[in-house]
Amino acid sequence: MNGLPVGMFGRKGHLASQHRAPNHLCYVEMGAADFDIAIVGGGPAGATCLLALAGSGLRVLVVEKAVFPRPKACGDAVPGLALRVWEGLAPGLPARLAQLPSARSLADGYVCGPFGGRCRVQFVHPGLVVRRAELDAALLAYAQAQTPCTLATAALKSLEPLPDGFALHLADGRSFTTRRLAAADGATGPCRKLLTGLAWQAAEVSLAVRTYLPAGAGGAGADALALWFDKALLPGYLWAFPLADGTQNVGAGVLRLRPGQNLKQALAQWTARPADDERPQAEPDASAWLGQKLPLGLAGRSISGPGYCLLGDAGGLVAPATGDGIGQAALSGQLAAQALVASLRQRGLAETPQGLAQAYDAPLYRRLGPSFTAQRRMVALGRHAPWLLEGIIRLASRSEALRQRLASL
Ligand SMILES: Cc1cc2nc3c(=O)[nH]c(=O)nc-3n(C[C@H](O)[C@H](O)[C@H](O)COP(=O)(O)OP(=O)(O)OC[C@H]3O[C@@H](n4cnc5c(N)ncnc54)[C@H](O)[C@@H]3O)c2cc1C
């Protein structure tokens, strides 16, 4: 199921004449495109979008450059938000994902402040830790089983706007046309730049790296989602998340690298240096390092335009303080599917910039906006007032209400 024959499209003159139809004929004429919806990227955002299209009867194309399973820079912690979205779309799916070989369900968190204060928190909605190679492959396969689609395993190279959709040109020479586009190609994919002309600026992204520690490394990360706000990394943190086989995903993220700062080195030194803050002790797997930028969520940033939605990291939906993005990717996948389907059925929704902004951006930011704003305040606190951050963590160790508030972030 690896795509359509080379050269299905590429007949520019033919398309131009098709799209010269008067407005009231748009719906019929647009049906001449190869696909109704193309999803670029098969990570959590794209796979959830595909899943949410189950039963729509639409012709769907998925373009994914990697052959799954593939490794992905990630802490492997799947937040409760993602699990709730998937449960809503496919009851029982999170329970299936929890059966994956590396998966471990966790309801406990541990937070250590910059000056040694610490508290344990209990998540209202437990999360899952599972290697992304396994998670993403299982999710995409599940979505493909629910929603018939054509999978093109190739990198998207360029996009050509058409009067009523887009032409997608792939690196392997194939081209396809689509009426709507769900851009879910992550933080480093080309869609955002191609669609909006904007590249991510340094101030809009943070950076994170991860690797694994062998079983037996101990520390709080052996049985909880553990975070350390280390003075040297503020505003940023180190993490250790346990997997089913006893290994721990460890990593470090910062808002901005200081001159000469090396995240891999900082993490390796941190795990090598004994301390009484419940950190794990072991040498990180030198062969497993992966790092990537994280485009941070900003309530109100435009994430749609005529005929397209930007999903997940491609839309810059990573939580500004905690750095997680799988939940937002899943939610955006679900809402984009709804908005794009509505735009195919309701004339006017896709043609103007405001149409999809109302159908997609608005409901998404109603859900995510308050948390983005709260997290941005937390980042400012870490940067300008580390003692206040420390105070909050110490207070939380004595206040159930505050612990719940922290856990909800
Ligand atoms: C070190 C690190 C740790 C993190 N830890 C966590 C965590 O513990 N929990 C959490 O929730 N989030 C975490 N995140 C963030 C999380 O990884 C992302 O927010 C999440 O993967 C976003 O999902 P997505 O589907 O939008 O993008 P992605 O998962 O990046 O998927 C995008 C897909 O698009 C494909 N693609 C890219 N370019 C093209 C192209 N040109 N053509 C076709 N396909 C293309 C890619 O191959 C990929 O499969 C972490 C990020 C980093 C860097």
Side-chain angles (χ1 to χ4, degrees):
M1 154 125 150
N2 218 5
L4 299 176
V6 173
M8 268 204 70
F9 169 68
R11 303 154 295 179
K12 261 191 193 169
H14 170 65
L15 270 166
S17 58
Q18 265 175 31
H19 292 291
R20 242 179 261 127
N23 241 359
H24 67 278
L25 287 181
C26 263
Y27 187 87
V28 176
E29 291 301 317
M30 285 195 306
D34 300 328
F35 294 96
D36 299 306
I37 297 184
I39 302 170
V40 182
T48 307
C49 183
L50 181 63
L51 182 58
L53 291 171
S56 67
L58 295 170
R59 298 162 305 152
V60 182
L61 169 71
V62 176
V63 180
E64 166 55 61
K65 70 175 182 181
V67 176
F68 282 23
R70 52 96 179 91
K72 162 81 180 77
C74 189
D76 299 337
V78 185
L81 171 61
L83 300 176
R84 292 198 299 283
V85 169
W86 295 333
E87 181 68 33
L89 290 171
L93 175 57
R96 278 167 166 247
L97 298 173
Q99 300 303 314
L100 289 169
S102 69
R104 183 159 172 191
S105 287
L106 282 171
D108 291 316
Y110 168 87
V111 188
C112 183
F115 304 102
R118 63 195 76 170
C119 70
R120 285 194 172 257
V121 295
Q122 197 71 36
F123 300 114
V124 185
H125 303 287
L128 197 64
V129 183
V130 54
R131 286 182 190 255
R132 284 291 298 275
E134 286 174 21
L135 174 79
D136 290 14
L139 202 57
L140 184 60
Y142 186 87
Q144 282 179 272
Q146 307 306 309
T147 310
C149 68
T150 298
L151 175 65
T153 307
L156 175 85
K157 213 173 75 186
S158 64
L159 282 171
E160 190 186 332
L162 301 172
D164 299 309
F166 300 90
L168 286 76
H169 303 295
L170 311 191
D172 64 5
R174 283 179 292 174
S175 294
F176 302 103
T177 54
T178 183
R179 300 161 71 191
R180 300 288 182 269
L181 179 65
D185 54 342
T188 56
C191 280
R192 181 175 192 259
K193 180 82 193 296
L194 291 171
L195 289 163
T196 66
L198 300 169
W200 292 114
Q201 300 301 305
E204 295 177 294
V205 301
S206 63
L207 290 167
V209 296
R210 69 95 168 112
T211 184
Y212 293 90
L213 294 181
D223 59 9
L225 291 159
L227 305 182
W228 290 262
F229 290 95
D230 193 272
K231 278 196 295 287
L233 288 180
L234 284 176
Y237 66 85
L238 301 125
W239 72 78
F241 301 152
L243 290 144
D245 61 1
T247 60
Q248 294 181 35
N249 177 314
V250 283
V254 286
L255 202 58
R256 214 147 297 130
L257 279 179
R258 298 196 195 114
Q261 192 173 34
N262 179 320
L263 281 186
K264 289 184 191 175
Q265 231 171 45
L267 182 61
Q269 283 167 0
W270 182 77
T271 57
R273 207 170 48 225
D276 69 351
D277 59 1
E278 296 191 52
R279 71 179 64 177
Q281 301 273 268
E283 201 170 316
D285 180 346
S287 66
W289 287 110
L290 273 183
Q292 201 176 291
K293 66 183 170 197
L294 298 103
L296 303 177
L298 178 66
R301 181 195 283 130
S302 170
I303 45 171
S304 65
Y308 73 85
C309 296
L310 293 163
L311 284 57
D313 282 13
L317 297 176
V318 173
T322 50
D324 60 279
I326 301 174
Q328 297 87 305
L331 182 64
S332 66
Q334 179 185 22
L335 294 179
Q338 288 168 2
L340 292 173
V341 170
S343 81
L344 287 166
R345 307 213 155 120
Q346 189 182 329
R347 207 164 352 104
L349 254 189
E351 288 81 358
T352 61
Q354 302 83 351
L356 280 171
Q358 274 162 23
Y360 174 62
D361 301 28
L364 188 68
Y365 285 131
R366 263 198 301 280
R367 291 280 297 276
L368 301 178
S371 149
F372 284 169
T373 304
Q375 291 218 12
R376 281 184 176 267
R377 286 198 196 111
M378 255 176 85
V379 172
L381 212 61
R383 180 193 278 171
H384 303 297
W387 273 105
L388 207 51
L389 181 63
E390 173 76 12
I392 290 173
I393 290 167
R394 288 185 185 206
L395 205 60
S397 69
R398 298 190 298 272
S399 156
E400 175 60 26
L402 192 52
R403 279 201 295 280
Q404 279 179 13
R405 178 88 184 104
L406 278 183
S408 74
L409 288 174

